[in-house]
Amino acid sequence: MSRAELLEAWHGHLALGLRRSPHTVRAYGKAAERLLTRLDLAEWDDVAELSTAALRTHLASRRADGLSNASTARELSALKGFIGFARTQAGHAVSDPPRLRGPRIKKGLPRPVTPDDAIGLADTVEALAADDWIGARDRAVLLLLYGAGMRIAEALSLTASALPLGERLTVTGKGGKQRVVPLIPIVREAVADYAARCPWPLPPQEPLFRGAKGGPLVQGVVQRTTARARKALGLPDSATPHALRHSFATHLLGAGADLRSLQELLGHASLGSTQIYTKVDAASLLETYRNAHPRERD
């Protein structure tokens, strides 16, 4: 068997079996390719029998290449999955990968933007666009992120079959898990405005959001247009498309939403992922207090 065949099977498992995003398939595929190349492996048995010591040595060499703690942890996760898959392919009774703990990662809190800045970003990407329909498109995408708490990949995976949008939308998230999100009028109107202006046909099973030449809109374009808008507004680098999803969660929690409902709206697999927003909201309240209290200003 060749390395290319191993990688092809791994890519297929990730994309079709686990329904991982294209970004994850690329990243996990590259991690597996580096492991096969550096350790000169070309058979499932070789990968399946890889020891914890060999995996630790490989990761140490990656750290020597300048890999950060967070990147090392992601690489370890990818390789554990690959080795577990290899053990299944090799017919091993146990498919669990080697037990190896990754580096400690200090998790920072999400950094939301204010409601005014969220809407300002959406309006500014529209104003800065070269064409009216592209401006309407970019505004619609950002309002889906802020108004419905969608991930950027989820918004860009929508097909035109979603049109016309109603008060609720079924979204396919990580791992193919589906959830239903409510859509407020400003979001529905923005998407309808884009669809009416789009110069490309929008058949039901094709992507809803199109690039300038008619192909599927990609994340990099949305990230670049948002970067231009935040620069024009004088916002920090943390004002990214994903920050709009954080803002959706933080603002709902601040308005009294309960954690379980928020977990469902965000599509989090565990409540622990949602609980981080309680800390964000507390931090926002403290910042408001510091800015408003007379003694804090003295």
Side-chain angles (χ1 to χ4, degrees), residues 177 179 258-272 274:
K177 183 180 178 182
R179 68 185 189 277
D258 65 274
L259 280 175
R260 285 292 181 188
S261 297
L262 194 56
Q263 178 188 1
E264 291 183 13
L265 290 174
L266 292 170
H268 284 160
S270 69
L271 188 62
T274 313

Side-chain angles (χ1 to χ4, degrees), residues 78-261:
L79 293 178
K80 281 184 174 181
F82 180 53
I83 294 169
F85 177 66
R87 290 182 174 180
T88 301
Q89 295 298 103
H92 285 215
V94 179
S95 61
D96 293 338
R99 293 185 178 181
L100 180 62
R101 295 182 65 178
R104 289 178 176 269
I105 303 172
K106 184 179 180 181
K107 286 192 174 181
L109 292 178
R111 301 177 67 182
V113 299
T114 67
D116 285 346
D117 286 340
I119 300 300
L121 276 171
D123 289 344
T124 303
V125 294
E126 181 176 29
L128 294 178
D131 294 303
D132 287 347
W133 78 270
I134 289 179
R137 177 200 70 190
D138 294 345
R139 181 173 184 270
V141 171
L142 293 194
L143 286 179
L144 276 170
L145 307 187
Y146 178 60
M150 294 172 65
R151 300 177 178 92
I152 186 171
E154 294 169 346
L156 298 188
S157 69
L158 291 175
T159 64
S161 63
L163 298 175
L165 294 183
E167 294 184 352
R168 291 175 177 79
L169 177 65
T170 299
V171 177
T172 302
K174 290 184 176 180
K177 183 180 178 182
Q178 290 190 321
R179 68 185 189 277
V180 176
V181 297
L183 297 177
I184 57 178
I186 188 175
V187 175
R188 299 199 303 268
E189 291 162 6
V191 174
D193 181 50
Y194 153 70
R197 293 170 183 259
C198 182
W200 306 102
L202 295 174
Q205 300 309 315
E206 293 296 318
L208 171 59
F209 293 108
R210 302 300 185 86
K213 296 182 179 180
L217 180 62
V218 298
Q219 293 190 28
V221 172
V222 180
Q223 289 161 346
R224 287 192 294 273
T225 58
T226 305
R228 284 201 304 270
R230 72 168 175 255
K231 185 176 181 180
L233 293 171
L235 297 177
D237 290 345
S238 58
T240 62
H242 198 63
L244 295 177
R245 173 174 154 89
H246 292 321
S247 304
F248 165 86
T250 305
H251 299 160
L252 276 184
L253 189 62
D258 65 274
L259 280 175
R260 285 292 181 188
S261 297

